Amino acid sequence: MRIDVVSIFPEFFSVLDVSLLGKARQSELVNVHVHDLREWAAVKTDGTPDAHRTVDDAPFGGGAGMVMKADVWGRALDDVLQRGGVLVIPSPAGIPFTQALAADLAEAEQIAFACGRYEGIDARVAEHYEAKGFRVLEVSLGDYVLNGGEVAAAAMIEAITRLIPGFMGNAQSIVEESHADGLLEYPSYTRPASWRGLDVPEVLLSGHHGNIERWRREQQVRLTRQRRPDLMADHDGDVAQ
Ligand code: 6GU
């Protein structure tokens, strides 16, 4: 997989060099290229130079904040977006980013992340690339507002790349983790069996695999009901109602 990120804060993405993702980059399962949007702001569409390398302007219709310019984004994405690539635009107004969407995007040949700041990117940019036949997704991490798309893109890149086959050491831990089956993960414990007066649930020490599996499923349902009742609709027939 190839990932391109375009941002006015390319240095932010040094976080991708560390952790598991750094390993995947070295193994060339994923190729990440980070670009500075201002590279495409030095010369205007009419060929005249822009010494300030302006990337934003006031919104038509008035209102607070600035909007990122379609012409600058168009020049950048014309260069960066490959044939068959998916354009992802992080936005608090986007569709929800879920494990299912991450798994879907893990199959893409290329993903280009267009990280906007301020009040977002001129809406014609998404419209243009959609009309050109690209898959374009405006995607939100959740119902809160970040200053820009950078943190969201980094989170999405981590969630997507760890699903690329061969990336994770232990494929079973992907099958069992939170959200893989629409439920939150069961609680985990390790030694010592007793710590500050708190004991590990007896069943986990029993060696009885059937009972352990049943207990873990009950815990998944209990935690999901308690913390994420919105996820429970798909599991109405499950244990421990
Ligand atoms: Cl994708 N972008 C911004 N700016 N804020 C967000 C978000 C994205 N997801 C949640 N909040």
Side-chain angles (χ1 to χ4, degrees):
M1 174 187 293
R2 179 180 165 117
I3 293 177
D4 290 89
V5 181
V6 184
S7 162
I8 56 168
F9 298 114
E11 66 279 8
F12 176 88
F13 292 92
S14 58
V15 292
L16 300 180
D17 296 335
V18 294
S19 87
L20 265 179
L21 192 57
K23 260 192 248 165
R25 285 180 83 167
Q26 283 160 25
S27 73
E28 289 176 13
L29 281 169
V30 57
N31 245 305
V32 184
H33 297 260
V34 181
H35 314 269
D36 186 343
L37 178 68
R38 290 192 200 275
E39 282 176 32
W40 290 276
V43 179
K44 297 188 238 179
T45 305
D46 65 8
T48 61
D50 177 3
H52 296 107
R53 301 208 284 174
T54 312
V55 295
D56 63 334
D57 202 344
F60 277 121
M66 300 288 267
V67 178
M68 296 188 101
K69 290 163 64 60
D71 61 328
V72 177
W73 274 108
R75 287 193 294 273
L77 293 173
D78 283 351
D79 283 352
V80 160
L81 195 52
Q82 298 179 354
R83 201 150 36 84
V86 181
L87 175 58
V88 174
I89 305 175
S91 163
I95 61 169
F97 186 66
T98 61
Q99 189 68 17
L101 183 51
D104 173 358
L105 290 171
E107 316 242 307
E109 284 287 327
Q110 188 216 7
I111 307 171
F113 287 90
C115 298
R117 284 260 144 182
Y118 318 114
E119 304 308 303
I121 300 171
D122 187 307
R124 291 170 294 185
V125 173
E127 199 183 321
H128 169 78
Y129 288 99
E130 210 152 55
K132 286 253 158 190
F134 290 96
R135 186 174 179 208
V136 179
L137 297 171
E138 292 189 52
V139 183
S140 168
L141 282 196
D143 296 336
Y144 44 83
V145 178
L146 305 168
N147 283 332
E150 283 78 9
V151 167
M156 290 186 233
I157 290 167
E158 186 161 314
I160 292 163
T161 54
R162 63 192 293 286
L163 297 177
I164 297 170
F167 178 84
M168 287 275 281
N170 180 0
Q172 188 60 24
S173 64
I174 283 189
V175 175
E176 288 181 6
E177 70 197 0
S178 290
H179 300 293
D181 62 358
L183 293 173
L184 303 185
E185 197 175 7
Y186 51 79
S188 296
Y189 307 85
T190 186
R191 284 176 289 198
S194 185
W195 175 74
R196 297 191 181 181
L198 300 171
D199 294 340
V200 171
E202 194 69 47
V203 62
L204 298 179
L205 310 177
S206 70
H208 191 298
H209 297 299
N211 287 350
I212 291 169
E213 207 178 310
R214 208 167 310 115
W215 181 86
R216 285 178 167 168
R217 191 72 184 178
E218 285 166 9
Q219 295 300 310
Q220 285 194 278
V221 172
R222 179 183 67 80
L223 286 175
T224 308
R225 288 186 77 78
Q226 191 176 81
R227 297 175 181 174
R228 295 294 306 277
D230 57 305
L231 297 180
M232 280 311 296
D234 296 338
H235 288 272
D236 277 345
D238 286 26
V239 291
Q241 289 296 301

